[in-house]
Amino acid sequence: MNYLLYSFTQAVNIYPASDLFLRHRLQVVEELWESVLRQECGQKMVDLLRQLQDLCSPEGQAINDQASSVFKLIEQLNINETIRAARAFALYFQLINIIEQDNEQKQQLIRYEVETESTTQETLPDFICSSNQEEAENPVNSGLGADLLTKSWQANSNNKRKGTFASLLPYLFNLNVPPQQIQRLIAQLDVQLVFTAHPTEIVRHTIRDKQRRVVKLLQQLDVVEKRSTNGSPSWEVEEVQEQLLEEIRLWWRTDELHQFKPSVLDEVDYALHYFQEVLFDSIPHLHKRLKHALSSTFPWLEPPGKNFCKFGSWVGADRDGNPSVTPEITWQTACYQRNIVLEKYIKSVRQLINLLSLSLHWSDILPDLLESLELEQSQLSEVYEQLALRFRQEPYRLKLSYVLKRLENTRDRNLALYKREPLKNENIPIYHSGADFLAELRLIEHNLTETGLSCRELEHLICQVEIFGFNLTHLDIRQESTRHSDALNEILEYLGVLKVPYDELSEQERTAWLVEELQTRRPLIPAELPFSEKTNDVIQTLRMVRSLQQEFGHHICQTYIISMCRQVSDVLEVLLLAKEAGLYDPGTAIGSIQVVPLFETVEDLQRSTSVMRELFTLPLYRALLAGGYKAGEMKELFLSPSGSQSPAE
């Protein structure tokens, strides 16, 4: 195979540098792909695929007058050849996507680098530009592709001012946007990204890992190509290309899909894979970039909190149309998420133990850390007995060893909750929340700062804890509206509360009865549930939300989404069921869950304005949104017409 760069000197005047490099990469990967197919399927399959490519447009569509030729070629294939051809093209397009995404990422990094350099070189009045430390921490790949892309980017002035903090803030400065307005926006910044459930889009971890290895090898190829000093590939280039060939060949022999039906917890695992491999370590850098860009242009403004960008998930909690998502599955999802984040923290604390080797001989510590060590000695005596002699002059290591033990205890307790096993020791020292763990880290950070030191790894960990806590993501519950009305209809029929069945009431009568019922603390649903499986599932889901909040804190699950919401009663029904689960107090109108109507059909969307207007006129609903009744509001509620007795009773 010939992997030489094709006619670089001749093509440079025809294509921009970025396009030239992209074409080169595509050629290299396509030759590797053909080599794999030649070894695995023979030259006949390679020739067939080339024919099909030649008969199609660059976008992959068969040209009208050649479509019949494409059909004839395909019709001549037996089932085995058809499957191999389909897999070959699937592999080809995945490789092309990897090349294009890697190329786009390089351009984004170069854009960030160029814009930051241009920002620091500009002379702006009344402020001092500072160097951007993020560039040093995340350097652009220094390969052949990076050089070509940089030249192309610098030559194209139209690409500036696109999509980075380093370009946005100077742009706002030049527009004379008032700094007070920018500060208000920064203070209110609250980005919440939610992973929705798509079980049909599951990709195996095995395939993701292979894709990631291909990307790393391509990045390595950038570096060794740059080191090549003549027109022929060096042995290093050939070595990397052989590794790519081997990886693609292994990929070819790997099943793309599981040979079993994934469970809901499998789906949870696939979704959280992105946190484990990318987001958990990358998101803190987002705050860092914003902070550095802000200090370069508006050094007097305060950056946002580290947790301005948070995450939510429907995976394992969205039960609309999925009977496999049970209350127990949602409980296990929450425990599984917490286990992931605890394992991450345990790994980071172990690294800090190795790093913070400060000795009392050369560094002072503050009294608050000494007091903390004395307290830990009594609570975690086994750690003291094991490590006190070893770390007698290294207080940070001893403190972090206590922290590590608490984290491990917390993880072990969480695993027992996941498996629904009895807890062996309720009195074992643990962290009850991410806030407790965060306080310990800040104590260590404060002692370092007061003695003139800093630790980037510790700062990074603190940022992760502020963003992800012990929950990783908050869970959003979603259920279809008729499930709630059907459940209430069955409950009320069993109790004999209404003279007329609930499902025969008009919307006005339903709303009036629901409002009245939401004003009393009298329980409606018995502790034992003598109802159908569907009704019990609705009741148990909200009871499970209450259990989640008690164990994980209110932030774990505060949103209940009603799909196919059509009218006011749809919202009030969920609020009444939430009251029965202890998630809403009618006496104060304080709720630990927000009921979110989701209008989906055209008719429902057209009616949504009047539905929401009617909801906002209800004192109890307004009070719920405001965080509870104000003084005198409860008395007014009972005197209002909406609080009168329903004609249905």
Side-chain angles (χ1 to χ4, degrees):
M1 259 188 306
N2 180 17
Y3 299 109
L4 296 178
L5 297 177
Y6 64 99
S7 305
F8 260 98
T9 55
Q10 298 177 5
V12 74
N13 294 324
I14 301 175
Y15 303 108
S18 58
D19 289 347
L20 179 64
F21 175 71
L22 182 58
R23 286 168 179 268
H24 161 61
R25 266 295 162 264
L26 293 174
Q27 184 191 30
V28 169
V29 169
E30 186 164 339
E31 290 179 355
L32 289 168
W33 172 71
E34 288 187 357
S35 178
V36 168
L37 293 181
R38 191 175 294 110
Q39 296 173 32
E40 296 293 323
C41 306
Q43 185 63 42
K44 181 180 177 182
M45 177 61 69
V46 175
D47 294 339
L48 170 67
L49 297 177
R50 282 179 177 172
Q51 279 184 279
L52 291 172
Q53 281 181 312
D54 293 340
L55 291 172
C56 296
S57 67
E59 292 78 21
Q61 302 295 322
I63 303 171
N64 291 334
D65 56 350
Q66 295 178 330
S68 59
S69 300
V70 173
F71 292 139
K72 287 179 181 178
L73 278 174
I74 295 175
E75 287 172 353
Q76 293 173 4
L77 304 178
N78 59 42
I79 185 64
N80 186 52
E81 291 171 332
T82 302
I83 292 173
R84 285 174 174 263
R87 290 192 76 238
F89 274 124
L91 176 60
Y92 174 77
F93 288 124
Q94 289 186 73
L95 291 169
I96 297 305
N97 284 339
I98 289 173
I99 296 293
E100 292 178 343
Q101 290 172 7
D102 186 52
N103 184 65
E104 182 180 354
Q105 184 182 39
K106 286 186 176 72
Q107 293 192 55
Q108 290 175 343
L109 291 172
I110 292 165
R111 177 193 307 169
Y112 178 74
E113 181 183 57
V114 171
E115 289 178 343
T116 304
E117 289 178 355
S118 64
T119 300
T120 56
Q121 292 171 1
E122 290 177 357
T123 304
L124 295 175
D126 300 326
F127 76 99
I128 300 174
C129 296
S130 65
S131 62
N132 196 305
Q133 299 177 12
E134 185 67 19
E135 294 174 12
E137 295 169 1
N138 294 287
V140 177
N141 293 328
S142 57
L144 173 66
D147 288 347
L148 290 172
L149 290 170
T150 303
K151 293 175 183 178
S152 175
W153 181 259
Q154 290 172 335
N156 188 357
S157 60
N158 292 330
N159 284 328
K160 292 185 178 181
R161 292 180 178 172
K162 284 186 178 179
T164 65
F165 297 134
S167 63
L168 172 64
L169 292 167
Y171 180 65
L172 296 177
F173 184 94
N174 291 329
L175 288 177
N176 293 319
V177 177
Q180 297 87 343
Q181 182 179 352
I182 297 175
Q183 184 67 80
R184 282 197 303 272
L185 291 172
I186 290 174
Q188 297 170 0
L189 200 56
D190 184 14
V191 181
Q192 299 194 29
L193 307 175
V194 179
F195 280 68
T196 55
H198 290 288
T200 58
E201 298 181 11
I202 290 173
V203 178
R204 293 181 67 190
H205 288 335
T206 302
I207 298 300
R208 288 175 178 166
D209 291 339
K210 292 188 180 301
Q211 292 170 344
R212 196 172 289 110
R213 283 194 289 270
V214 168
V215 171
K216 290 180 179 178
L217 286 170
L218 288 171
Q219 293 172 347
Q220 188 178 345
L221 187 60
D222 289 350
V223 177
V224 296
E225 279 183 342
K226 186 178 181 181
R227 288 205 294 258
S228 181
T229 56
N230 51 50
S232 299
S234 67
W235 68 269
E236 291 177 312
V237 175
E238 293 175 350
E239 176 72 18
V240 176
Q241 290 171 348
E242 287 299 322
Q243 291 181 51
L244 271 168
L245 180 66
E246 179 181 300
E247 192 63 49
I248 295 172
R249 194 172 183 186
L250 290 171
W251 187 350
W252 169 261
R253 293 196 184 188
T254 302
D255 284 329
E256 290 279 342
L257 302 176
H258 285 291
Q259 300 304 308
F260 60 91
K261 181 180 179 181
S263 67
V264 177
L265 289 177
D266 289 327
E267 184 188 344
V268 170
D269 179 61
Y270 302 145
L272 298 183
H273 182 77
Y274 293 106
F275 287 93
Q276 291 177 296
E277 299 296 332
V278 180
L279 295 173
F280 191 78
D281 291 320
S282 299
I283 291 300
H285 289 295
L286 184 65
H287 178 269
K288 203 175 288 186
R289 288 189 174 188
L290 176 53
K291 180 180 177 181
H292 287 313
L294 192 64
S295 65
S296 296
T297 309
F298 299 98
W300 58 88
L301 297 185
E302 290 292 326
K306 294 182 177 69
N307 62 345
F308 76 90
C309 181
K310 299 183 287 293
F311 291 88
S313 176
W314 287 11
V315 189
D318 178 12
R319 57 244 309 125
D320 182 10
N322 190 348
S324 299
V325 182
T326 63
E328 183 63 21
I329 287 294
T330 303
W331 173 267
Q332 290 181 323
T333 298
C335 293
Y336 187 79
Q337 289 187 170
R338 183 160 64 179
N339 189 69
I340 287 176
V341 79
L342 287 172
E343 290 288 2
K344 289 283 188 181
Y345 295 153
I346 288 170
K347 180 180 178 181
S348 296
V349 170
R350 284 174 177 161
Q351 292 172 345
L352 286 173
I353 291 174
N354 292 328
L355 183 64
L356 294 180
S357 55
L358 288 73
S359 170
L360 287 172
H361 292 131
W362 307 105
S363 180
D364 296 328
I365 64 170
L366 303 182
D368 56 354
L369 183 56
L370 286 173
E371 292 173 5
S372 173
L373 289 172
E374 291 178 3
L375 181 63
E376 297 283 25
Q377 179 181 343
S378 62
Q379 294 181 344
L380 290 163
S381 56
E382 70 275 18
V383 175
Y384 178 80
E385 293 170 0
Q386 180 183 0
L387 298 173
L389 183 62
R390 179 179 179 181
F391 294 149
R392 65 185 182 279
Q393 296 298 328
E394 297 174 333
Y396 289 98
R397 281 183 161 175
L398 184 57
K399 175 61 181 176
L400 286 165
S401 297
Y402 288 130
V403 170
L404 177 62
K405 185 59 178 177
R406 284 183 184 272
L407 281 175
E408 290 173 343
N409 290 344
T410 306
R411 176 201 58 194
D412 294 344
R413 178 181 178 276
N414 183 66
L415 288 173
L417 291 173
Y418 175 85
K419 298 175 182 178
R420 293 294 192 180
E421 295 176 349
L423 299 177
K424 296 180 180 179
N425 186 357
E426 287 282 2
N427 298 321
I428 190 170
I430 64 169
Y431 289 119
H432 294 281
S433 67
D436 294 341
F437 176 48
L438 184 62
E440 299 266 65
L441 297 178
R442 284 179 172 157
L443 171 64
I444 297 171
E445 182 186 44
H446 174 69
N447 273 258
L448 289 173
T449 303
E450 291 297 312
T451 56
L453 293 174
S454 63
C455 177
R456 287 180 178 270
E457 286 77 4
L458 178 60
E459 293 172 4
H460 189 75
L461 177 57
I462 287 174
C463 188
Q464 289 174 323
V465 179
E466 288 194 25
I467 295 169
F468 299 106
F470 276 0
N471 296 333
L472 194 62
T473 75
H474 65 79
L475 295 173
D476 291 345
I477 307 294
R478 187 172 73 130
Q479 184 58 279
E480 200 267 333
S481 59
T482 59
R483 288 290 300 274
H484 311 120
S485 56
D486 290 346
L488 269 179
N489 186 67
E490 183 177 351
I491 293 167
L492 296 176
E493 184 177 353
Y494 173 81
L495 297 174
V497 173
L498 302 177
K499 296 178 181 179
V500 180
Y502 180 78
D503 59 0
E504 295 181 11
L505 297 179
S506 67
E507 171 61 15
Q508 184 179 3
E509 290 172 332
R510 285 191 184 190
T511 300
W513 182 84
L514 289 165
V515 167
E516 181 179 0
E517 194 65 29
L518 281 165
Q519 296 172 17
T520 175
R521 288 193 173 100
R522 173 179 53 78
L524 182 69
I525 301 175
E528 299 295 328
L529 302 179
F531 308 117
S532 67
E533 183 178 346
K534 286 188 175 182
T535 295
N536 288 344
D537 180 75
V538 171
I539 298 169
Q540 289 169 342
T541 294
L542 285 157
R543 289 181 177 179
M544 178 273 305
V545 171
R546 174 67 171 163
S547 298
L548 283 175
Q549 292 183 354
Q550 290 174 332
E551 170 60 32
F552 296 84
H554 287 175
H555 293 296
I556 185 65
C557 187
Q558 291 182 298
T559 304
Y560 193 109
I561 301 167
I562 311 170
S563 60
M564 298 302 292
C565 186
R566 297 181 174 86
Q567 49 204 10
V568 171
S569 62
D570 290 335
V571 176
L572 298 181
E573 286 166 356
V574 176
L575 193 56
L576 177 57
L577 292 167
K579 185 204 80 167
E580 293 297 311
L583 297 168
Y584 171 76
D585 181 4
T588 61
I590 295 175
S592 59
I593 193 168
Q594 293 295 341
V595 183
V596 180
L598 180 59
F599 302 99
E600 299 183 77
T601 68
V602 173
E603 295 79 8
D604 293 337
L605 286 167
Q606 291 172 341
R607 194 170 54 249
S608 62
T609 301
S610 61
V611 171
M612 295 309 300
R613 184 181 293 113
E614 185 177 349
L615 271 170
F616 292 144
T617 62
L618 296 175
L620 65 89
Y621 190 75
R622 290 202 313 272
L624 173 65
L625 298 179
Y629 290 121
K630 296 179 182 178
E633 280 188 337
M634 190 61 187
K635 182 178 179 181
E636 293 175 5
L637 173 62
F638 282 110
L639 296 176
S640 66
S642 60
S644 60
Q645 190 177 29
S646 168
E649 295 193 36

